[in-house]
Amino acid sequence: MSTQKIKVGILGATGSVGQKFIQLLSGHPFFEITEVAASDRSAGKKYKDAVNWFLPTPIPDAIANLTVKNCEPNLECGVVFSGLDANIAGEVEEAFAKSGYHVISNSKNHRFDKDVPLLIPEVNPDHLGLIKVQNFGKGSIVTNPNCSTIGMLIALKPLDDAFGIEQVNVVTMQALSGAGYPGVSSLDIIDNVIPFIGGEENKMETEPLKILGNFNGKEIELSTFKISASCNRVAVVDGHLESVQVKFKNKPTKEEIFSVWKNFKGEPQQYDLPLAPIQPIHYFFEDKYPQPRLHRDIDKGMAVAVGRLRDCNLFDYKFSVLSHNTVRGAAGGAILCAELMKVKGLLS
Ligand code: NAP
């Protein structure tokens, strides 16, 4: 059975996202980790000696004694998941793609390349068509959006399809794990909120326009609705909570919105992919929900929790959305991209 699995490598295997990849890929039916790679600081050591493992489940036995390699395109695998530091991710990922590897990346570097899909499998699976436009020979690059963008867009996509979005304002309360490890110092964040996350607002104001854009067979025509984002770091370990205000081209009733969210399903659900949530959007009618500690793990951490839909004095409606930033917003989202690529024959 395991010989039929696709061999994958993890670039940045020792980091926050890298560890999550290793945890989520343990026992995966499609993929088998055969390589782990990181910086010179880790290369040459056994994985268990190189990593500062901080997840609650143990390092999988099959990974603990693997030797960490350098991030050079001579790894024994066909697919690499990248959780690399953005300072080096761009050039490393390109070198792998040019050498024939399929690269699925969490880093920001290639997200706006014209020929690279910025993919949320339930939202814009047709953008995988861009791979045919790429010039990497047998290799390819697909990127996973910013963690806050993913949660918000899973809630907005079915609304955009049904009613047309005109304007969005979003205020985020983002978890500490989004800053990697060790991240923000305890003295900065205890008893505090930091009203700034470098580069985050720009990502949230630009990535949705590509993701909800139209793929015309050659390129993405960017969507044109307006977004304003304000991003805050809060003392939560995992799970980004966002307050979203939205104005529509055709204002629906609340009941119509509930119905659209309830019925929303995408290709991952149609293909019954291993990491696909059964229901991508869970709506909570209790006023005090959603909450990070209670709802970040719904359906393997891959579903988003939505609540508090209400009238807005400035826009049409406002609501809250919560998603797990290192699962749905990073490693889990990237694995779902790879699962979709696998069933579409794009990883051969
Ligand atoms: P992290 O914990 O700091 O891990 C960075 C990884 O990159 C480590 O494995 C590190 O290896 C490796 N690395 C650093 N410099 C390197 C070099 N010069 N050559 C090769 N490898 C190098 O960061 P993270 O939070 O996992 O984030 C990784 C990427 O995912 C970032 O681009 C980030 O923006 C993105 N992302 C993160 C989240 C999140 O929730 N954390 C969500 C979405 C996207 P060593 O251990 O050997 O130094």
Side-chain angles (χ1 to χ4, degrees), residues 100-115:
Y101 293 81
H102 298 288
V103 179
I104 295 123
S105 172
N106 277 284
S107 303
K108 65 180 181 185
N109 308 64
H110 290 291
R111 286 181 185 156
F112 273 91
D113 292 4
K114 276 193 176 315
D115 55 1

Side-chain angles (χ1 to χ4, degrees), residues 34 126 147 181 232 302:
T34 53
D126 59 313
C147 42
Y181 186 87
N232 305 283
M302 292 296 287

Side-chain angles (χ1 to χ4, degrees), residues 179-247:
Y181 186 87
V184 185
S185 93
S186 55
L187 282 180
D188 284 335
I189 198 67
I190 291 173
D191 188 27
N192 211 5
V193 171
I194 299 171
F196 174 71
I197 303 175
E200 198 79 357
E201 292 170 357
N202 179 258
K203 288 178 195 165
M204 287 201 80
E205 291 173 354
T206 53
E207 292 183 11
L209 304 181
K210 179 168 180 181
I211 298 161
L212 295 184
N214 174 52
F215 176 51
N216 65 15
K218 288 184 183 157
E219 59 184 6
I220 307 292
E221 298 159 351
L222 299 183
S223 188
T224 53
F225 68 92
K226 288 205 166 74
I227 316 178
S228 176
S230 305
C231 297
N232 305 283
R233 185 73 71 195
V234 299
V236 164
V237 176
D238 289 317
H240 292 347
L241 182 63
E242 306 174 28
S243 293
V244 182
Q245 294 166 278
V246 58
K247 185 168 168 41

Side-chain angles (χ1 to χ4, degrees), residues 82-289:
S82 169
L84 281 172
D85 189 288
N87 287 323
I88 41 99
E91 56 186 284
V92 171
E93 291 167 1
E94 199 168 325
F96 271 86
K98 282 182 176 160
S99 302
Y101 293 81
H102 298 288
V103 179
I104 295 123
S105 172
N106 277 284
S107 303
K108 65 180 181 185
N109 308 64
H110 290 291
R111 286 181 185 156
F112 273 91
D113 292 4
K114 276 193 176 315
D115 55 1
V116 170
L118 184 52
L119 189 70
I120 305 174
E122 286 91 344
V123 172
N124 58 339
D126 59 313
H127 289 198
L128 280 173
L130 273 178
I131 289 175
K132 288 204 181 105
V133 183
Q134 294 184 354
N135 282 318
F136 295 122
K138 288 182 179 168
S140 63
I141 300 181
V142 169
T143 56
N144 196 26
N146 166 261
C147 42
S148 309
T149 301
I150 292 177
M152 177 177 76
L153 281 192
I154 289 176
L156 288 179
K157 163 70 175 171
L159 304 183
D160 190 39
D161 285 348
F163 317 114
I165 290 175
E166 208 164 86
Q167 289 181 12
V168 172
N169 182 50
V170 58
V171 177
T172 69
M173 289 147 272
Q174 297 185 217
L176 291 169
S177 58
Y181 186 87
V184 185
S185 93
S186 55
L187 282 180
D188 284 335
I189 198 67
I190 291 173
D191 188 27
N192 211 5
V193 171
I194 299 171
F196 174 71
I197 303 175
E200 198 79 357
E201 292 170 357
N202 179 258
K203 288 178 195 165
M204 287 201 80
E205 291 173 354
T206 53
E207 292 183 11
L209 304 181
K210 179 168 180 181
I211 298 161
L212 295 184
N214 174 52
F215 176 51
N216 65 15
K218 288 184 183 157
E219 59 184 6
I220 307 292
E221 298 159 351
L222 299 183
S223 188
T224 53
F225 68 92
K226 288 205 166 74
I227 316 178
S228 176
S230 305
C231 297
N232 305 283
R233 185 73 71 195
V234 299
V236 164
V237 176
D238 289 317
H240 292 347
L241 182 63
E242 306 174 28
S243 293
V244 182
Q245 294 166 278
V246 58
K247 185 168 168 41
F248 294 103
K249 290 179 184 148
N250 305 300
K251 184 179 174 182
T253 63
K254 281 185 207 154
E255 285 64 35
E256 286 173 317
I257 293 179
F258 291 140
S259 165
V260 159
W261 276 337
K262 192 174 171 194
N263 293 317
F264 178 56
K265 294 220 156 92
E267 292 194 7
Q269 288 70 38
Q270 284 156 22
Y271 285 112
D272 196 16
L273 297 177
L275 259 193
I278 293 165
Q279 175 112 6
I281 298 170
H282 290 244
Y283 189 84
F284 289 86
F285 286 92
E286 298 88 337
D287 282 342
K288 61 185 180 186
Y289 293 158

